Amino acid sequence: MFGTVVLSILAGGDTSASLIGQLAHRMLSDDAALWNEAAADLDLIDGMIEEEFRHSGLVAAVEDIVERSR
């Protein structure tokens, strides 16, 4: 049980850092079109974060690691 909790905490930090980095890279690519769009309408950011979760597959990978550790 302790190992699963520690793994979840560590994986959560790594996942968050990867997600933020990938989203920033994607937003700044292609002449920063997504960045400018988000800057013009801050309400779009929540949807962009959700889409990055879906697109990156990071959440599924972490769930697999946690399941294998049980």
Side-chain angles (χ1 to χ4, degrees), residues 14-47:
D14 183 52
T15 301
S16 298
S18 296
L19 174 70
I20 292 167
Q22 287 180 2
L23 181 56
H25 181 267
R26 192 177 322 280
M27 290 176 73
L28 293 170
S29 297
D30 298 324
D31 299 325
L34 286 176
W35 186 273
N36 293 331
E37 190 176 336
D41 185 2
L42 296 179
D43 292 333
L44 295 175
I45 294 175
D46 287 342

Side-chain angles (χ1 to χ4, degrees), residues 57-69:
L58 288 172
V59 174
V62 171
E63 287 175 352
D64 289 344
I65 291 169
V66 171
E67 285 297 319
R68 285 191 304 243
S69 71

